[in-house]
Each structure stands twice: as C-alpha cells, then as structure tokens.
Amino acid sequence: MLFRCNILALVGGGPAPQYPPTKVMIWDDHQSRCIGDLSFRSEVRAVRLRRDRIVVVLEQKIFVYNFMDLKLIHQIETVPNPKGLCVVSQAPGPMVLVCPGGQKGQVRVEHYGLKKTKFIMAHDSRIACFALTQDGRVLATASSKGTLVRVFNTVDGSLLQEVRRGADRAEIYSLAFSANTQWLAVSSDKGTVHVFSLKANPGIAGNDKPHDASDSNQGSPVGSPLSFIKGVLPKYFHSEWSVAQFHLHEGSQYVVAFGHQKNTIVILGMDGSFYRCQYDPANGGEMTQLECHNFLKLEEAF
C-alpha cells in the first residue's frame, strides 16, 4: 500500500491466484481497477512503494521503476533473496535503497541522491532482516543467527552500535526504528519483543560524522551486571541488552512498529492478533499491555 492512499501493488499468490505471481498489478481502489502492471520471468518476492518509485524484488534481482510512467531506471543483482529483503527510505527527497549485497552477510546501500553505492559487511552469516530510518541515514541489520543486531551509518558504512537480543539462535521477524531514532524494536520466533535504547541517534542530520558507539552514555542501554569485568569474560557478558520486553506466544510470527503515542509499541501477529503496549524508558522491564484483539477469530456473539 502506498501510505494511506488508494494505490496498492498486488501480486498473485495462493492455490488459485487471481493474478500471476510473476506480475505486479498497480491497483487504484477509487476506480476499483488495475491502472498498470509489470511482468517478470520469475516470481515476485516483494514490492516497495514510494510516491516516486516502485521497487520490485525477485529472487536474485531488484528493479526500480519511475512511478509516473513505469519506466525502468535501475536494476540490481543480489545473492539469492527468497524472502525478498529490501527497504527504501520514505522521507521526501532522493531515495535510499538497502538490499542484500553480492555475498553472504553483506548489505548494499544505494544512495540515489549522492549517486553512490555503499557495501557493508554486516554479519558473517546470511542477512535475515533489516530496517532503515525514514531518512535512510541509519540501518539496523540481523543475521540468520539472530543473536546480535547491528546499527550502521549508511553514508560511510561505520558501525554505530551493537545490541544483543539473546544468546541462543533465533529467527528475527522484524526490526523497527522509532521516529526519532532513539529506540529500536525487535521481534523473533522466541515470542519476545525487545526494545533497545540507541545512542547511535546520530547527529548525522547536521554532519556526516557518526557518534562513536563507545562515547556518550546518554540514554545508555542496559548492560550486564557483570560488565565491570569487561575484557576478562566473553563478549556476551558485556553486551548491550534490551531496556524493555513483551512476551507473546513462541513460534508465531510477529511484526513490530512504534505507535503514535509516546513510548508505545504496536505488535501484529500473522495469526490475526494485535497488541498495543507501553514501555517505561527510564526503568524498562516488562511492557504494559494497553490493548489486545484478534481480527481473525469469529465473534462469539452471534
């Protein structure tokens, strides 16, 4: 969906698809009809929309089109990308696009305004998930191990911060930045949503020099109680841990976002569940549940 307007991108799927899974249909919901389509030789894995661009993700290629005339303006080759990983900046101005690079663990950043491509070796393992701030200046990445999340400056590729979700492997389902880049939310198959404090809130807006991840304790994340013997124990013990957590059913897939109200998280489950929670930025700990619904369960009051 293009923000909250009447334009949708549809891709056919399921056992009896209405449209081929190799086509992107541009649907105008005011007119209740397709106003354009894009055809490919292989299945479409994902679509990203901006007011000026349509980005179509295939297994090993990404195509960027001009929205107004559907003219192809760029194509990118990637490593096999069955999940269709790709994010684009949404703030007005030139687009920043992030996708998997040409090798395992690498991300590719396309700065269309700067006419510059940046490759970042983010992880040793395969990239599983990433998120971009609205202005495209800060990127969070997670690998298939799912233990660490790394935060990068997309302009120079520098590592701004590293936070730890946990010690055991997990599949990261979604990452989300707060509007002010002060917080990062993470959901995984462990059934826990974590909120981390970001000191990487980069004064990037004014200059391109990132804050060093070790300076400034402002809003500092929760460290391990054993961090006083940093350098003696393994890295695990002095990792930066989440400030707040919310526990859900393990194994279900959840997507997270920050709510409009201050210090709130919205969680949407693929089982139709919806949660709205509030976290305490000062004391952290378990979040407070404000709302809970399930939109796929039939109402019993018939």
Side-chain angles (χ1 to χ4, degrees), residues 141-267:
T141 67
S143 76
S144 53
K145 281 177 73 175
T147 52
L148 295 171
V149 176
R150 293 190 171 120
V151 180
F152 296 93
N153 175 340
T154 63
V155 177
D156 62 14
S158 61
L159 177 66
L160 298 172
Q161 195 170 343
E162 181 180 273
V163 298
R164 181 174 288 277
R165 181 214 54 82
D168 47 350
R169 287 185 85 97
E171 185 173 354
I172 303 290
Y173 289 135
S174 79
L175 300 167
F177 286 100
S178 64
N180 60 4
T181 321
Q182 191 178 354
W183 306 98
L184 177 72
V186 180
S187 69
S188 73
D189 62 352
K190 296 298 181 186
T192 307
V193 171
H194 295 270
V195 173
F196 296 91
S197 173
L198 294 183
K199 52 194 174 185
N201 188 356
I204 291 183
N207 62 70
D208 283 346
K209 186 173 184 290
H211 287 259
D212 187 88
S214 63
D215 72 7
S216 164
N217 276 331
Q218 189 177 358
S220 72
V222 179
S224 159
L226 297 173
S227 57
F228 64 93
I229 37 179
K230 188 173 180 176
V232 180
L233 290 172
K235 195 173 182 182
Y236 170 85
F237 288 101
H238 55 261
S239 293
E240 293 179 21
W241 296 81
S242 58
V243 170
Q245 308 80 33
F246 186 71
H247 291 84
L248 300 143
H249 298 298
E250 195 169 326
S252 292
Q253 190 167 340
Y254 297 97
V255 176
V256 289
F258 284 85
H260 291 301
Q261 291 80 17
K262 197 173 182 185
N263 305 326
T264 60
I265 292 281
V266 173
I267 304 164

Side-chain angles (χ1 to χ4, degrees), residues 77-100:
E77 293 201 9
T78 68
V79 292
N81 183 17
K83 290 168 95 176
L85 298 178
C86 180
V87 286
V88 296
S89 60
Q90 294 294 354
M95 181 170 76
V96 179
L97 179 151
V98 178
C99 63

